[in-house]
Every structure is written in C-alpha cells, then in structure tokens.
Amino acid sequence: MNDSAKPLLPGSTLGVLGGGQLGRMFVHQAQAMGYFTAVLDADPTSPAGLVSHHHIQTGYEDPQGLAELARVADAVTTEFENVPAAALAALAARLPVSPAASAVSVAQDRAREKAHFVACGVPCAPYAVIETAEQLAAVAPDLLPGILKTARMGYDGKGQVRVKTAAELAAAWASVGKVPCVLEKMLPLALECSVIVARGHDGATVHLPVQRNLHRDGILAVTEVFEQNLPPALIQQAVAAAISIANGLHYVGVLCVEFFVLQDGGLVVNEIAPRPHNSGHYSQNACDVSQFELQVRTLARLPLTQPRQHSPAVMLNLLGDLWFAHGDAEQTPPWAQVLALPGAHLHLYGKREAKRGRKMGHLNVTGPTPEAARATALQAAALLGIAPF
Ligand code: ATP
Ligand code: MG
C-alpha cells in the first residue's frame, strides 16, 4: 500500500474548507472519532470555526490561508458547494483532497451537471442552456412553463425564476443579469426524494436509505425516512442512479443526489450536492453510521460499511422564522417542551442571529414505528409553529 492509500488514523488532522453548519457537524463527528480538525473560514463566528481545534480566518482563495490549512491538516474536504474549485486544486497539489475539484466543479454548474446526468444515462428534466440572446430566442416552446435557474451559485431556491411565457423568460433572464442559466421545464411532481452515497478512494460505495423530502418556498422543510414510505422499485432505481452518477465522477466522498418523482411515477434527477446534505441529517440519530461519519471515513480512507437505519425518522428543519413566530419580536422557541417529547433530538448550529429563511438547526425525531415518529414530529411542529405535513 503506498502512502496515499493508507488510512489516516485518529490523531491525524482533518481539514474542511467552509465554516457552515455542515462543517460544524463534520468537525463534531471527526472529533468524536479522535481526530483533530482545522476549518478555513473568514468569519470568526462561523459555526464550524467555533468548535474546531484550528480555525484559519481567511478567505477561501487566500494563498496564505490555504498554505496554513495544508500545513496543519493531513487531508481536506469541503462543506459547501460553491467553494472555489481553484482553492481545492491548489490544496490538492499539497495534500489529499476529497471530493476532487473536478467533481465539485461539475456540481457547481447546472449546465455541466445536467450534461453529466445525460452521460450517465440518468434522466433529468428537459432543459436548455441559456448563455446568449440567440440561445434565449431559440428556446423550444415546450420547455414552458419552466424554471430559469442561474447555472452557478444557486441554493435554497435562490437564483430561480418561474416563467410561463417567452416574454417572462426574457424578463427573467434580464433580471438575473443575463448570466449563464438553464431553463428547466416545470414538471408535475408527485414527491421529492434524495440519496446520500459515500464512495471510497478504492471505488467502493455505500448509501443511506432513500429520503423523502418536502420543500416549502424552495427550502427543504421536512425529511421522512422509514420503510414503505416509497415504492421499493423507486428506491432501487434511485440508489442505482445515484451510484452511477458518483461512479461517473470518480467521486471520493459523500454525495447527495436529489430526485423528482413525477405524477406518472417516473424518476428524474434534479441536482447533486458534493457534500453531506440537509436531507441526510436524520442519519445522525436514526442510522448506525451518519452521513458525517461517512464523510470522515471517506476522507480518512477508512473502510466503508453499509449504514443501517435502526429507527424510523422525521427531520424538521428549524429556520429562523421560528424565532419570530409571533410577529417581529424575537422569541426563544420552546426547546424544553420539544425535548420532553420522546425521540426528539435537537441540533442547533450556534448561529448568533436568527433571520427568516436562515437554517438555524434541525430536529430529528425517531420512534419505534413510522406512525410514532410522525405523530411525535407533528407534536414538535405544532409546538414550534411549523405547519403540519
Ligand atoms: P437546494 O440547493 O437548497 O437543494 P436549489 O436552490 O438548488 O435548492 P433546486 O433543487 O433546483 O434549487 O429547486 C428547489 C425546489 O424547486 C425543488 O426541490 C423543487 O421543489 C422545485 N423545482 C425545481 N425545479 C423544478 C422543476 N423542473 N419542476 C418542478 N419543480 C421544480
Ligand atoms: Mg435542490
């Protein structure tokens, strides 16, 4: 075994580019397993920076910050999608980095992402790339009504405009500054689901169970995972598609693949995230291996074992809105009442300021049966001011 294939054992230092909540949960997991951690994020109060052994407070492209990260860490991963691919590439010249810049850059660009799905033989929504006025004029009418999405930098429904007519499409493209976009046909969705895949340096893959997701206002609101929540044939299809997408990227790390299930039962891939994902958070309390442990294992080149879900689970996202449930005056959500519910597991990200639409934390609810988990989650939602689902 050459050095670059040897596992990095506990006691080594694992680095992460980005200091958000995903980085924080990665850091917590790495530390639980005996690793030291290093976070690079300019914000002195970033959720991950606050809990890491090392916190390098520079921008992602700062050469000194990157050099410092390469010096203290033995391997580096990333926790957000829009990390500059150049920063990953610069780090990769000095130490192991996963996922690789080449894979992350595909996920960063909706046009390249969709081309990859097509190349893997996995269907996605019919779409057109719009980078020029000519391409705008040439859009096929049957792509409307559709959703115009900026090719880069979108998240939580940002950078998206729903359009019904060619005139609305032209206005929408102007409103986003005529940056490169994709127009996607609006599909009749029955439901949404996602799969977390982990792929090791040796190409071995494991995955979490398929998650059923409910979005509200373009933001994930609820994830439910238990048996019989989705048809078995659909589950098989989604897992196979997710693995082939990861294999096609020669991916190393944790990858989330989001899908739409159409009203006619068809499955189409929506997008990928080159990191753990909000829809995989239930795994922290409902599975014997969480998505963050999978991230530690792939980065440290440790063996991957197939995770097993031991409890039916419902995850509720805790957005900043809950801090303003009764108008503009800020309030503390009723945590003690929520935590009186059996199987309620609170995760807060340590963000100082609550804002509407900002992800502040999540609540994982586990139960002995799907019915019990759902009933408890609905009680928690009622206490918190989250609409029933
Ligand atoms: P995130 O990164 O938070 O997952 P995003 O900003 O990348 O979100 P998308 O996943 O592209 O956005 O879309 C957000 C939501 O909008 C989807 O989960 C789905 O509910 C809806 N949506 C997006 N594209 C389509 C489509 N082609 N047809 C129908 N609904 C869609
Ligand atoms: Mg999405």
Side-chain angles (χ1 to χ4, degrees), residues 81 110 125 147 149 154-158 160 162 184-187 189 192 215 218 258 260 270-271 275 277 359:
E81 208 148 329
R110 289 187 192 276
I147 308 188
K149 303 182 179 182
Y155 70 99
D156 288 348
K158 294 184 175 71
Q160 301 198 1
R162 296 182 176 214
E184 252 178 68
K185 187 176 172 69
M186 179 73 85
L187 298 174
L189 308 189
E192 295 185 60
H215 291 80
E258 292 181 63
F260 298 141
N270 171 22
E271 61 173 356
R275 49 170 174 76
H277 190 260
K359 290 177 178 171

Side-chain angles (χ1 to χ4, degrees), residues 25 29 196 207-209 211 223 225 254 276-295 307-315 345 347 362 364-366:
M25 292 183 272
Q29 183 59 43
I196 306 285
H207 60 88
L208 292 177
Q211 298 118 202
T223 295
V225 196
V254 172
H277 190 260
N278 198 164
S279 62
H281 289 353
Y282 72 99
S283 62
Q284 293 172 305
N285 300 107
C287 298
D288 60 355
V289 184
S290 74
Q291 62 171 346
F292 300 104
E293 180 167 344
L294 291 174
Q295 190 180 21
R308 182 179 66 85
Q309 185 178 6
H310 51 70
S311 299
V314 179
M315 187 233 37
H345 311 273
H347 299 262
H362 62 276
N364 287 336
V365 179
T366 54

Side-chain angles (χ1 to χ4, degrees), residues 170-325:
W173 193 50
S175 77
V176 298
K178 302 193 178 179
V179 294
C181 285
V182 298
L183 173 71
E184 252 178 68
K185 187 176 172 69
M186 179 73 85
L187 298 174
L189 308 189
L191 57 95
E192 295 185 60
C193 64
S194 57
V195 183
I196 306 285
V197 185
R199 188 170 183 276
H201 65 103
D202 56 356
T205 55
V206 298
H207 60 88
L208 292 177
V210 181
Q211 298 118 202
R212 180 167 174 168
N213 303 322
L214 172 69
H215 291 80
R216 289 180 174 149
D217 301 325
I219 305 178
L220 182 66
V222 182
T223 295
E224 298 185 71
V225 196
F226 39 78
E227 265 176 44
Q228 275 147 32
N229 196 20
L230 294 165
L234 191 85
I235 289 177
Q236 275 185 9
Q237 220 185 326
V239 168
I243 290 174
S244 84
I245 288 167
N247 284 341
L249 290 169
H250 306 290
Y251 196 84
V252 179
V254 172
L255 180 76
C256 178
V257 183
E258 292 181 63
F259 296 94
F260 298 141
V261 179
L262 306 184
Q263 282 167 15
D264 67 6
L267 182 78
V268 302
V269 57
N270 171 22
E271 61 173 356
I272 56 176
R275 49 170 174 76
H277 190 260
N278 198 164
S279 62
H281 289 353
Y282 72 99
S283 62
Q284 293 172 305
N285 300 107
C287 298
D288 60 355
V289 184
S290 74
Q291 62 171 346
F292 300 104
E293 180 167 344
L294 291 174
Q295 190 180 21
V296 170
R297 286 180 181 235
T298 53
L299 183 61
R301 300 187 292 271
L302 291 169
L304 297 176
T305 59
Q306 176 61 37
R308 182 179 66 85
Q309 185 178 6
H310 51 70
S311 299
V314 179
M315 187 233 37
L316 304 179
N317 249 353
L318 305 176
L319 300 182
D321 306 60
L322 306 187
W323 276 251
F324 303 96

